[in-house]
Amino acid sequence: MDDRPFNLQPPAAKPRGPQNIAEFWARARSQPGGIQAMVAARRSKAAAAEQKDGQTDVEMADSNEADEPAETEAEESTETRDVNAVRAELLQQTQAALATSNWALDFLSLLISREMPTQATSTLSPETRATVGLGTLGATMLAAPTALARSRETETRMTAIGQRYLSLESCIKMAQPAQSRLEHQIQAEEKYWSEVSTVKEAGFRVARMAQEPQTMCVSFGFLNAAPEFKNSGIAPLRRADDGSVKLELGRRGGGSQRIRVSILDDGKVVGQSSLPTPLSENATLVDRVKDARDTIFAQELWHEINREARTLGGRNVRMSRSSVIYAMSQTSTISIELVSLGEGNAGTDSPRSKDHFAESLSLALSLQLSHAHKINERRRGERNAIQTTPPVYSLLAPIVSWFEHEKNIGRFVQHLLAYSKVLRSAGLPASVLLREPPVRTPPGAGAAADADDIGPVLYSPPAVEFDVDITPQSRLRVMVKPPQSDGPRFAIWTLPPSQPGSANPLQSSFPPTDEYFDANDVVWYINGAVTRALAAHAMVVLEGLKSNPGADEQSFAKWATRSDEKGLVDETGSFGLGFEFDFKEAGPELRVTGAFVEGGEKVSRQWLWSLDSRADAALEDVVRQVLSSGCNS
């Protein structure tokens, strides 16, 4: 350490023995065994030394005598030094070390002052800076180049340049894979975001997923859909290695499904709704999102149809394993099912006679589900809306009501036409006029706010009215209302006669009720109304006979209406005229029974008018014959 010019380490401390007897005694007692062990050790050490040197003539003295010279010797060797002298020596050494360190710091600061003057200024002492100055000391060349080194300077420079080129080439080769990977990532990102932007431009909502903020997702579902299908309307848009978008459909699965409506006659398909062509493998992202939207809509529609079909068992709706079937008649049925596009397109290329009918039913089901979504949206927007389970949508019920309504109208038209045909065959001016009232548009339906009110008007069949003229005096209006959950509705009321100033005889003799719940009740009323109308018409014929010149008014006055108002009878009760109208399996029949005098004798005769045959004479001629012969009796 002494050969170093700047030794900053403190000098090693000299060994220090005990300074007095008390300190020596304390150290001796602190040793293991105390003072006795120390004395025994010294004696054994002295004896061993005597045996080694061969000096056996030395006798051991008393322990106290042996210790005293040693202690005296130690005391003589360790003279007590002055504290002030020690302090002065310590300060001197400290100042010398400080001065040496300052010199070293100034030396290093001067060395770097030429290259880094700012940093050197912060460590150079002011005295040295004022005396020497910055940049006066520096080391730029440790050894002067030799002649051989100067001759090889150009070669060395070219070697260095070549080494740099080799290093740069190595760096380029190492960077090329990274460059290719970066270019691939850039192209993949451009392709990914271009497809995502096309989806957004198509009108779909694109956002980041709540659980995975680094992943984009698209929302193609319906906010007002059933709770089972709300979560299925969101799909992540994950990027593939080539930049294409993977549309993860989750619960909905990867298959495309649609609702198919089939019309069957005697088990044979005579009409079927069309299905779109399945998407190809290279279909665009927009087409795939639209296909997913249509699929989830079809699945929700199938779900709601199944829910509603369980409540329509009493209206000829039944469920099979994979379809919902509605029986329009004994031979015709409608089948609704959910099919996959790949499987459902087989064998549907050839057109059928009722394909347009099946297509209309499929479109009507989709429109009704959309209308139900709008109703839910308007219900949720109400201020005091209560969050409850959504009710069962009426999707099949309007369609079933349409067919039941058409069926009731068809049957009723057949009845009325048969009635009028029989009455016209009897010579009466009977007629049937169908009146379909215009569709009533809700108030403000043209405004956007009330556009949803048009749905119930379009989906519910309109009521149909029939003006039935039995005789010129007896006229009826029959309304066939759309069927409700418990069946059809009918309304009947009387119309004033075509000739002003007269009254309808049915208003007093056989008034209709407000509403009928069965078609058989309407048929029963019409049967009774025909007989009473004919009886009233016979009275009109009787009035005409009275007004003839030379007629005996007193003899015609004997006739009166029967108590059941289904014919006429004279005052004796022996002669009369009766009307009966009934609907048989072959059709309606009008039967007229008369008791009158013919050839001076009382006879009973019956006249019958039906669809297949009719009597020889007209009804008014029969009435005149009976009433005139009765008058001469």
Side-chain angles (χ1 to χ4, degrees):
M1 300 292 292
D2 296 337
D3 57 346
R4 298 179 183 178
F6 303 108
N7 186 10
L8 301 180
Q9 294 183 354
K14 297 180 179 181
R16 182 175 177 271
Q19 301 298 319
N20 49 36
I21 298 297
E23 185 176 351
F24 175 77
W25 186 259
R27 288 185 179 183
R29 293 186 62 181
S30 65
Q31 296 295 326
I35 191 64
Q36 291 82 5
M38 183 181 294
V39 172
R42 286 179 179 273
R43 287 179 178 178
S44 61
K45 185 176 181 181
E50 290 178 358
Q51 292 178 2
K52 182 177 180 181
D53 296 338
Q55 299 177 359
T56 58
D57 54 347
V58 181
E59 295 179 358
M60 296 181 61
D62 189 62
S63 62
N64 294 330
E65 296 176 356
D67 291 339
E68 289 177 1
E71 293 177 1
T72 305
E73 222 175 283
E75 291 176 1
E76 291 177 356
S77 63
T78 58
E79 297 178 356
T80 304
R81 302 177 62 184
D82 188 9
V83 176
N84 294 327
V86 173
R87 179 175 177 274
E89 183 181 357
L90 181 60
L91 289 176
Q92 184 180 2
Q93 294 180 0
T94 304
Q95 291 176 358
L98 179 61
T100 303
S101 63
N102 288 334
W103 293 341
L105 182 60
D106 288 345
F107 176 74
L108 295 177
S109 299
L110 285 174
L111 282 177
I112 67 173
S113 62
R114 179 173 295 180
E115 303 295 336
M116 293 180 292
T118 303
Q119 184 175 355
T121 304
S122 62
T123 57
L124 188 64
S125 63
E127 294 80 3
T128 305
R129 180 178 180 182
T131 304
V132 182
L134 298 177
T136 58
L137 182 63
T140 57
M141 184 181 296
L142 298 178
T146 62
L148 180 60
R150 285 195 298 270
S151 64
R152 293 181 177 178
E153 183 178 357
T154 304
E155 181 181 355
T156 303
R157 185 180 296 108
M158 296 303 296
T159 303
I161 293 174
Q163 189 65 31
R164 288 183 182 179
Y165 285 159
L166 291 176
S167 300
L168 289 175
E169 186 177 359
S170 177
C171 292
I172 291 173
K173 290 181 179 180
M174 294 176 61
Q176 282 179 351
Q179 178 187 3
S180 61
R181 288 194 299 269
L182 182 59
E183 291 178 352
H184 175 73
Q185 292 294 331
I186 292 174
Q187 294 176 359
E189 286 292 330
E190 290 180 352
K191 182 178 180 181
Y192 173 80
W193 287 107
S194 63
E195 292 190 15
V196 172
S197 61
T198 55
V199 172
K200 186 175 181 180
E201 292 173 358
F204 295 97
R205 291 172 295 173
V206 178
R208 297 186 181 272
M209 295 186 64
Q211 298 81 2
E212 302 178 23
Q214 71 279 5
T215 305
M216 302 296 293
C217 65
V218 58
S219 176
F220 54 84
F222 304 89
L223 296 177
N224 302 292
E228 296 85 352
F229 296 90
K230 283 187 177 180
N231 296 331
S232 300
I234 300 176
L237 300 174
R238 304 192 185 276
R239 185 175 70 88
D241 294 337
D242 59 348
S244 60
V245 180
K246 293 181 179 179
L247 186 65
E248 295 187 358
L249 300 175
R251 292 174 51 192
R252 195 195 64 81
S256 300
Q257 295 177 321
R258 296 292 187 274
I259 291 294
R260 184 174 65 184
V261 179
S262 302
I263 311 298
L264 294 87
D265 283 345
D266 293 329
K268 182 180 178 181
V269 178
V270 296
Q272 199 170 71
S273 60
S274 62
L275 297 175
T277 306
L279 293 179
S280 59
E281 296 181 356
N282 56 351
T284 62
L285 180 60
V286 176
D287 293 337
R288 285 183 286 162
V289 173
K290 290 181 179 179
D291 181 73
R293 177 199 61 189
D294 297 340
T295 298
I296 195 174
F297 184 83
Q299 290 177 348
E300 183 184 3
L301 178 58
W302 175 248
H303 173 74
E304 297 298 338
I305 288 175
N306 276 268
R307 288 180 61 194
E308 187 185 9
R310 295 183 177 92
T311 64
L312 299 177
R315 302 181 68 176
N316 297 329
V317 177
R318 59 185 178 88
M319 299 177 59
S320 64
R321 184 175 181 180
S322 60
S323 61
V324 175
I325 299 174
Y326 167 64
M328 295 185 294
S329 63
Q330 295 181 355
T331 58
S332 300
T333 58
I334 298 176
S335 176
I336 305 172
E337 56 186 343
L338 181 67
V339 298
S340 300
L341 291 186
E343 303 172 359
N345 288 350
T348 59
D349 296 335
S350 59
R352 300 178 177 87
S353 59
K354 295 185 178 181
D355 284 347
H356 64 285
F357 183 41
E359 196 73 34
S360 301
L361 293 179
S362 178
L363 180 60
L365 291 173
S366 301
L367 290 176
Q368 291 182 80
L369 181 58
S370 300
H371 179 68
H373 285 172
K374 293 182 180 179
I375 293 177
N376 286 342
E377 181 179 2
R378 185 167 54 182
R379 186 184 297 113
R380 289 192 306 109
E382 296 177 357
R383 179 177 299 179
N384 300 324
I386 301 176
Q387 299 294 335
T388 59
T389 304
V392 177
Y393 297 148
S394 295
L395 307 179
L396 283 175
I399 295 178
V400 173
S401 298
W402 268 102
F403 285 108
E404 291 182 351
H405 189 55
E406 293 293 333
K407 189 186 302 183
N408 292 332
I409 292 175
R411 292 177 179 176
F412 205 69
V413 166
Q414 292 178 358
H415 288 306
L416 294 181
L417 291 179
Y419 289 155
S420 62
K421 184 176 181 181
V422 172
L423 293 178
R424 284 197 301 270
S425 65
L428 296 175
S431 64
V432 176
L433 177 63
L434 187 147
R435 299 169 55 89
E436 185 173 356
V439 177
R440 293 176 294 175
T441 305
D450 298 331
D452 297 340
D453 296 334
I454 304 178
V457 177
L458 297 178
Y459 298 148
S460 59
V464 178
E465 298 176 353
F466 296 92
D467 289 348
V468 182
D469 292 348
I470 303 175
T471 63
Q473 296 78 24
S474 301
R475 303 177 63 230
L476 297 174
R477 175 167 292 176
V478 182
M479 175 180 286
V480 182
K481 300 180 180 180
Q484 305 297 324
S485 58
D486 53 351
R489 298 287 191 276
F490 300 91
I492 303 176
W493 58 89
T494 59
L495 296 176
S498 57
Q499 297 179 358
S502 58
N504 193 329
L506 297 177
Q507 186 65 36
S508 57
S509 62
F510 197 57
T513 58
D514 295 337
E515 194 171 24
Y516 295 87
F517 300 93
D518 192 355
N520 295 328
D521 296 339
V522 179
V523 172
W524 173 84
Y525 174 80
I526 293 179
N527 292 343
V530 168
T531 55
R532 290 166 175 80
L534 295 180
H537 185 66
M539 293 298 295
V540 173
V541 173
L542 180 62
E543 294 296 330
L545 293 176
K546 291 180 181 180
S547 61
N548 290 333
D552 187 2
E553 295 184 1
Q554 294 183 357
S555 60
F556 285 111
K558 298 186 299 182
W559 294 99
T561 306
R562 286 175 11 184
S563 59
D564 58 359
E565 298 182 348
K566 294 183 180 182
L568 302 179
V569 66
D570 66 345
E571 59 184 5
T572 62
S574 301
F575 303 96
L577 183 67
F579 301 97
E580 294 182 7
F581 196 83
D582 196 7
F583 197 86
K584 304 294 184 178
E585 294 182 359
E589 293 181 354
L590 174 61
R591 185 178 295 103
V592 178
T593 304
F596 57 97
V597 177
E598 185 178 9
E601 296 181 358
K602 179 181 179 181
V603 295
S604 296
R605 191 174 175 182
Q606 188 178 63
W607 293 266
L608 180 65
W609 289 270
S610 65
L611 295 176
D612 299 332
S613 60
R614 61 179 181 176
D616 298 336
L619 180 63
E620 291 187 0
D621 296 337
V622 172
V623 172
R624 291 189 183 92
Q625 179 182 358
V626 173
L627 296 180
S628 300
S629 60
C631 293
N632 298 326
S633 59

